[in-house]
């Protein structure tokens, strides 16, 4: 197996998927959107080109080693630090993941490419697809998702609806709400009408909870989230922190910790839960990595989140 950048990370404790083993299919921040709320910062490679960005052999080899180590998992998730459906080898990787274990495979996607034949065919193999629908019209789409030139909102929606008609697995539709952009009753009603065409098994309302790409992207209050759910979307779920037995995760490994923090900022309590330790130990490790300029802390809504600064550098000590 080639040494270098890790493509498999976690398990991470996901608000939606429990203990999820992440599979990173593209280089850091390679995406066809540049969402205002993105927790990983601005998109550095803004592209709609579907290509073999990461060799599938490297991913499959890493995945096999990780699964053989025996962590308890709920899902293997195609996600990571960019848009996974941009990888032209997605179908092969999903099929390999299903051959290597009996775990369900999820695809965490912005949904923009589900109308592309190769992407649609690949995602048909997944057990769960989690696309995003953050807008109900073109104007809002441009403000919140900031797509590559040439991506039209109507075509994205048509692709998602067409995929739903063929797909036999579950779809959990996520709506990420940003205060003042897509949080009004009018915006939610437009989203609801489009979502009905996709017949998702679950609709999830979420808001900015980690440091966003744009400081102006503010979270919707918990009260407003509940108002939206009760008045307009009573069956929607607001993902909450799950109670998870993380007994199989093990002790803190700094290489593994940095690998996680590159893909998702975490609080010290989340890190303690993930590595089955206490917050004092987690804070000690985070402080050491901060002193070495490998990790930075940021505050959002009264909580302190930690993220890795250098996307290519591992701490060997």
């Amino acid at each position: 197996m080639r040494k270098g950048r890790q493509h498999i990370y976690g398990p991470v404790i996901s608000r939606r998927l429990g203990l999820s083993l992440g599979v990173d299919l593209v280089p850091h921040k390679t995406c066809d959107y540049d969402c205002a709320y993105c927790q990983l910062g601005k998109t550095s490679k803004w592209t709609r080109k579907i290509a073999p960005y990461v060799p599938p052999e490297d991913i499959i080899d890493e995945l096999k080693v990780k699964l053989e180590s025996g962590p308890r998992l709920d899902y293997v998730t195609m996600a990571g630090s960019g848009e996974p459906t941009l990888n032209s080898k997605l179908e092969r990787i999903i099929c390999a993941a299903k051959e290597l274990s009996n775990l369900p495979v999820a695809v965490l996607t912005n949904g923009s490419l589900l109308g592309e034949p190769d992407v649609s065919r690949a995602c048909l193999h997944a057990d769960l697809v989690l696309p995003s629908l953050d807008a109900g019209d073109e104007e809002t789409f441009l403000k919140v998702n900031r797509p590559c030139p040439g991506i039209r909102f109507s075509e994205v929606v048509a692709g998602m609806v067409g995929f739903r008609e063929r797909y036999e697995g579950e779809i959990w539709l996520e709506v990420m709400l940003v205060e003042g952009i897509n949080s009004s009753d009018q915006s939610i009603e437009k989203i609801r009408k489009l979502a009905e065409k996709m017949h998702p098994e679950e609709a999830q309302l979420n808001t900015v909870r980690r440091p966003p790409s744009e400081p102006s992207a503010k979270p919707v209050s918990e009260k407003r989230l509940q108002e939206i759910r009760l008045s307009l979307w009573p069956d929607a779920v607001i993902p909450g922190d799950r109670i998870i037995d993380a007994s199989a995760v093990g002790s803190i490994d700094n290489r593994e910790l940095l690998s996680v923090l590159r893909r998702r900022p975490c609080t010290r309590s989340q890190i303690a839960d993930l590595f089955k330790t206490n917050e004092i130990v987690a804070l000690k490790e985070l402080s050491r990595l901060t002193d070495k300029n490998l990790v930075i802390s940021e505050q959002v809504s009264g909580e302190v989140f930690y993220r890795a600064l250098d996307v290519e550098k591992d701490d060997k000590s």
Side-chain angles (χ1 to χ4, degrees):
M1 179 173 63
R2 181 178 63 85
K3 293 184 178 180
R5 180 173 180 264
Q6 289 180 296
H7 305 296
I8 309 300
Y9 62 99
V12 297
I13 299 177
S14 168
R15 293 168 61 88
R16 292 173 288 179
L17 299 175
L19 275 176
S20 170
L21 187 66
V23 183
D24 201 348
L25 303 183
V26 295
H28 185 77
K29 285 304 296 178
T30 299
C31 193
D32 55 350
Y33 286 1
D34 186 21
C35 296
Y37 58 74
C38 184
Q39 67 187 27
L40 295 176
K42 294 182 180 298
T43 295
S44 54
K45 187 173 180 56
W46 199 35
T47 181
R48 58 187 300 190
K49 182 180 180 181
I50 298 174
Y53 291 98
V54 178
E57 295 81 8
D58 291 343
I59 293 176
I60 294 168
D61 285 349
E62 278 188 48
L63 184 59
K64 183 178 181 180
V65 170
K66 190 70 174 184
L67 290 171
E68 287 176 348
S69 68
R72 186 181 71 76
L73 299 167
D74 296 306
Y75 283 92
V76 174
T77 305
M78 307 295 142
S81 54
E83 173 50 45
T85 62
L86 285 170
N87 192 313
S88 60
K89 303 300 182 181
L90 176 63
E91 182 176 11
R92 179 179 173 187
I93 295 166
I94 291 176
C95 291
K98 294 181 72 68
E99 290 173 1
L100 289 171
S101 79
N102 294 321
L103 292 165
V105 173
V107 178
L108 194 61
T109 173
N110 61 28
S112 62
L113 298 173
L114 286 175
E116 295 291 327
D118 289 350
V119 173
S120 177
R121 185 178 63 249
C123 289
L124 289 175
H125 294 285
D127 301 283
L128 173 64
V129 176
L130 298 93
S132 297
L133 182 66
D134 305 326
D137 55 49
E138 183 81 23
E139 181 182 359
T140 306
F141 178 58
L142 294 175
K143 288 180 180 178
V144 68
N145 297 126
R146 303 188 297 193
C148 270
I151 296 179
R152 293 182 174 86
F153 181 64
S154 60
E155 294 175 359
V156 171
V157 172
M160 293 170 70
V161 172
F163 175 75
R164 168 76 281 185
E165 293 172 352
R166 300 176 59 202
Y167 183 54
E168 296 181 356
E170 290 199 1
I171 289 182
W172 294 0
L173 188 68
E174 181 182 36
V175 179
M176 179 66 77
L177 298 174
V178 181
E179 180 63 40
I181 298 181
N182 62 350
S183 59
S184 68
D185 287 350
Q186 183 181 24
S187 292
I188 296 300
E189 180 62 16
K190 289 181 179 181
I191 294 171
R192 185 187 65 78
K193 288 180 178 179
L194 294 178
E196 285 181 346
K197 298 179 181 180
M198 300 173 195
H199 306 291
E201 277 70 26
E202 186 171 296
Q204 301 178 343
L205 296 177
N206 214 335
T207 192
V208 182
R209 299 187 186 276
R210 292 183 171 87
S213 171
E214 294 294 339
S216 60
K218 301 298 183 183
V220 172
S221 70
E222 295 299 322
K223 179 181 178 182
R224 177 59 181 152
L225 278 177
Q226 290 292 346
E227 288 174 352
I228 291 171
R229 186 180 71 82
L230 293 173
S231 64
L232 294 176
W233 223 333
D235 294 332
V237 173
I238 299 175
D241 293 325
R242 299 168 183 249
I243 299 174
I244 297 171
D245 174 14
S247 59
V249 175
S251 59
I252 288 183
D253 178 290
N254 284 332
R255 181 182 172 88
E256 192 70 36
L257 175 57
L258 286 169
S259 182
V260 169
L261 293 181
R262 288 178 191 131
R263 279 86 175 191
R264 55 182 295 141
C266 296
T267 65
R268 71 184 188 190
S269 64
Q270 290 169 341
I271 293 166
D273 289 341
L274 177 59
F275 290 97
K276 197 192 172 187
T277 186
N278 59 60
E279 291 191 30
I280 295 175
V281 172
L283 182 59
K284 181 179 178 180
E285 294 301 318
L286 288 165
S287 297
R288 190 175 76 82
L289 293 173
T290 300
D291 290 343
K292 298 181 73 172
N293 294 318
L294 291 171
V295 166
I296 190 173
S297 62
E298 299 173 285
Q299 189 167 353
V300 176
S301 301
E303 288 194 280
V304 177
F305 288 84
Y306 296 85
R307 65 177 176 87
L309 275 177
D310 188 340
V311 301
E312 296 297 334
K313 184 177 180 180
D314 285 323
D315 181 27
K316 306 294 185 183
S317 58

